[in-house]
Amino acid sequence: MEARKIVQVIGRGIPLPGDDIDTDRITPARFLKAITFDGMEKALFCDERENRPDHPLDNPNYKGGAIMFVGDNFGSGSSREHAPQAIQRYGIEAVVGVSFAEIFAGNCFAIGLPLLTASPEDIERLITRTQSRPATEYTVDLEKREAVYGEERVSLGMNEDRRRAYLGGTWNVLVNLKANLDKTREVAAALPYISGFRD
């Protein structure tokens, strides 16, 4: 058993311009009471969407988009895992932005949601293109580190260790532990603070 390899994400875009979009905007704090992530996609930007009928997530032109284009410092604020869960469960398979908060990036990696970076100028170009031509299909290629649409190519950056883990299908820690259960037991048994390690 191994985690799914993630080499490319292909789909239409969802433009979400603006910098410093924090996790409380992505998933408001009241949803932290949930004991599972089931239905968490309903929380995605729910307060903003309630007060803004033209929010991109409710624009029929972007319905079914798989790639979200965002600004600088996306995912800042508290370290809640609910934000990446809501994004992924909504159907978004990759997020491309100027930069991401590190804890948010780690939480995205843990669930197999690739985050890639581009220059502010290129992000503006991708957002503008999506707004003016929402039917545009993009290919985000982790191996080649680029986003392609039509004849256009945009260079992308990504944490190299995470990129290799996605390409190799080794990003899922739980799958890795289960695949190496004997070694896991051996290491756990040698730890002074663990007694009676069980499955």
Side-chain angles (χ1 to χ4, degrees):
M1 182 179 185
E2 67 176 24
R4 173 177 57 95
K5 294 181 181 180
I6 303 174
V7 179
Q8 290 183 336
V9 175
I10 301 172
R12 290 181 293 107
I14 300 175
L16 198 67
D19 298 336
D20 303 309
I21 293 177
D22 63 37
T23 53
D24 194 51
R25 289 175 62 185
I26 299 170
T27 49
R30 63 186 178 277
F31 291 96
L32 302 185
K33 298 176 183 177
I35 58 173
T36 75
F37 295 121
D38 292 342
M40 192 55 61
E41 66 278 4
K42 296 173 186 173
L44 187 61
F45 292 104
C46 64
D47 288 347
E48 294 185 10
R49 293 166 69 186
E50 185 175 334
N51 296 312
R52 183 184 159 192
D54 63 340
H55 193 280
L57 293 181
D58 294 320
N59 187 323
N61 289 330
Y62 309 133
K63 188 175 181 180
I67 302 161
M68 183 179 281
F69 298 119
V70 301
D72 191 32
N73 196 32
F74 187 82
S76 57
S78 65
S79 61
R80 64 192 68 170
E81 298 170 324
H82 302 66
Q85 287 281 350
I87 292 169
Q88 188 179 64
R89 288 167 183 265
Y90 185 82
I92 295 162
E93 300 175 39
V95 185
V96 180
V98 178
S99 71
F100 300 92
E102 188 51 41
I103 295 176
F104 174 80
N107 288 335
C108 286
F109 174 69
I111 63 171
L113 177 62
L115 304 181
L116 302 101
T117 59
S119 70
E121 296 76 17
D122 282 336
I123 290 296
E124 180 61 31
R125 185 154 57 104
L126 291 165
I127 287 174
T128 300
R129 169 75 183 211
T130 305
Q131 290 171 331
S132 62
R133 301 183 186 180
T136 299
E137 184 173 87
Y138 301 90
T139 297
V140 171
D141 194 309
L142 278 64
E143 191 168 35
K144 295 179 180 178
R145 299 185 194 90
E146 64 181 14
V148 180
Y149 58 99
E151 300 299 317
E152 301 292 326
R153 295 177 184 274
V154 173
S155 294
L156 301 177
M158 188 177 202
N159 175 287
E160 184 59 18
D161 289 338
R162 291 171 182 164
R163 188 180 78 90
R164 289 179 181 174
Y166 284 135
L167 293 175
T170 60
W171 56 269
N172 191 316
V173 174
L174 184 58
V175 169
N176 293 337
L177 287 173
K178 286 184 175 180
N180 297 281
L181 193 54
D182 290 340
K183 184 65 177 175
T184 304
R185 287 196 180 104
E186 181 184 327
V187 171
L191 297 174
Y193 50 84
I194 294 182
S195 61
F197 176 72
R198 300 174 183 174
D199 294 347

